[in-house]
């Protein structure tokens, strides 16, 4: 493993020693699932289910924290089945959807969700006209119940379209009392207030965890990275993993280690689980 600094290696070793008191937070897209042009066709990496089960045996808890609707991420990630296996082994898997506004766990197996934010319906009624006006009528619009996401990945010049739309959608969202979450060639409009950092801290505190690991890949994970930094400042052992890509470099400088996409994330987590098992194995 190639850590960016000597401190990163030390943080990893401290978490291996403290694994039973550690919570692991993971984004879905770009971390557990490869990025694809059609977000409805995403699926968990083939190694994902096995690694999550192996990791759950060693840590206090695992939380998948995603901008996707909870039920959609559960289906695409086969997390119902993974959760059953984890539960049978005496552990629990959490899924926090729509940046933490929705919640599911392998213990309850029920999604708890608030009502859609005020203003979202009015924003969506204006959205087609905004897209046509800014030469992005063919952008893929993903309605998420509590939010709407505009993907530019399928357009002829995805980056230029993204750059044109971001200030326009930000201004419109503000008029309707909504917030904007930029991502990898996607702009999400949703209720303000909740974010991945708050969701991660909630799970960390609920589980009585000490250490924390978080793996993310784009701007939607910035708040979670900040929350991990705050926990580190408070004395918790903490590790930040960036699932690297050519599209998004914003998290690299904040990270302890950069890996190559979901395959790299899962290889690192598998190694962590095995290192923790070896350290905590009973002596003969």
């Amino acid at each position: 493993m190639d850590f960016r600094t000597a401190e990163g290696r030390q943080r990893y070793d401290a978490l291996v020693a403290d694994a039973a008191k550690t919570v692991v937070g993971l984004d879905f897209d770009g971390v557990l699932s490869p990025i694809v042009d059609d977000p409805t066709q995403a699926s968990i990496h083939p190694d994902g289910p096995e690694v999550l089960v192996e990791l759950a045996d060693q840590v206090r808890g695992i939380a998948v924290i995603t901008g996707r609707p909870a039920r959609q991420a559960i289906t695409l990630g086969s997390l119902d089945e993974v959760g059953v296996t984890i539960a049978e082994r005496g552990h629990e898997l959490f899924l926090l959807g729509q940046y933490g506004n929705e919640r599911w766990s392998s213990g309850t197996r029920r999604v708890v969700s608030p009502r859609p934010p005020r203003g979202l319906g009015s924003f969506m009624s204006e959205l087609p006209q905004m897209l046509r006006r800014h030469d992005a009528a063919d952008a893929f619009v993903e309605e998420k119940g509590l939010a709407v996401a505009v993907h530019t990945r399928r357009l002829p010049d995805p980056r230029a379209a993204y750059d044109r739309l971001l200030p326009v959608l930000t201004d419109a969202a503000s008029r309707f009392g909504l917030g904007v979450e930029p991502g990898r060639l996607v702009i999400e409009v949703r209720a303000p207030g909740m974010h991945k950092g708050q969701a991660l801290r909630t799970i960390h505190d609920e589980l009585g965890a000490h250490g924390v690991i978080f793996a993310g890949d784009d701007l939607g994970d910035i708040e979670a990275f900040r929350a991990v930094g705050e926990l580190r400042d408070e004395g918790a052992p903490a590790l930040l993993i960036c699932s690297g890509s050519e599209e998004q470099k914003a998290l690299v400088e904040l990270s302890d280690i950069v890996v190559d996409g979901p395959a790299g994330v899962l290889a690192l987590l598998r190694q962590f689980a095995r290192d923790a098992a070896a350290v905590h194995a009973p002596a003969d």
Side-chain angles (χ1 to χ4, degrees), residues 165-177:
L165 288 174
L166 181 57
V168 173
L169 299 188
T170 299
D171 178 68
S174 178
R175 287 192 286 110
F176 292 111

Side-chain angles (χ1 to χ4, degrees), residues 104-143:
W104 171 93
S105 78
S106 57
T108 64
R109 303 187 70 184
R110 179 171 62 91
V111 174
V112 178
S113 177
R115 293 182 177 181
R118 293 179 61 185
L120 183 61
S122 298
F123 174 87
M124 290 176 64
S125 69
E126 291 190 11
L127 181 58
Q129 183 180 3
M130 286 188 282
L131 296 180
R132 288 194 299 270
R133 191 184 308 135
H134 293 87
D135 195 25
D138 293 331
F140 177 67
V141 176
E142 182 185 7
E143 296 185 19

Side-chain angles (χ1 to χ4, degrees), residues 25-203:
L26 304 167
D27 188 13
F28 185 77
D29 293 279
V31 172
L32 289 177
S33 168
I35 298 293
V36 294
D37 287 344
D38 182 351
T40 66
Q41 298 302 308
S43 62
I44 194 169
H45 187 280
D47 293 341
E50 181 181 332
V51 171
L52 290 176
V53 170
E54 189 173 349
L55 181 64
D57 282 343
Q58 304 301 324
V59 300
R60 179 63 58 88
I62 301 172
V64 178
I65 308 174
T66 175
R68 286 184 180 271
R71 181 51 62 186
Q72 182 186 65
I74 292 164
T75 300
L76 296 176
S78 301
L79 298 182
D80 258 327
E81 295 89 339
V82 175
V84 167
T85 303
I86 288 175
E88 288 173 347
R89 296 162 77 107
H91 308 294
E92 193 164 17
L93 174 68
F94 297 88
L95 188 288
L96 305 178
Q98 306 228 27
Y99 297 88
N101 281 306
E102 295 183 323
R103 178 169 175 150
W104 171 93
S105 78
S106 57
T108 64
R109 303 187 70 184
R110 179 171 62 91
V111 174
V112 178
S113 177
R115 293 182 177 181
R118 293 179 61 185
L120 183 61
S122 298
F123 174 87
M124 290 176 64
S125 69
E126 291 190 11
L127 181 58
Q129 183 180 3
M130 286 188 282
L131 296 180
R132 288 194 299 270
R133 191 184 308 135
H134 293 87
D135 195 25
D138 293 331
F140 177 67
V141 176
E142 182 185 7
E143 296 185 19
K144 304 170 75 170
L146 301 182
V148 60
V150 178
H151 299 259
T152 65
R153 189 176 299 276
R154 301 180 187 177
L155 298 178
D157 190 341
R159 174 52 60 181
Y162 177 94
D163 291 341
R164 286 197 308 275
L165 288 174
L166 181 57
V168 173
L169 299 188
T170 299
D171 178 68
S174 178
R175 287 192 286 110
F176 292 111
L178 301 168
V180 170
E181 194 76 51
R184 280 202 215 175
L185 301 180
V186 58
I187 303 163
E188 183 159 328
V189 176
R190 60 185 181 89
M194 177 61 76
H195 53 70
K196 289 186 180 182
Q198 185 175 336
L200 180 61
R201 286 209 67 140
T202 297
I203 288 293

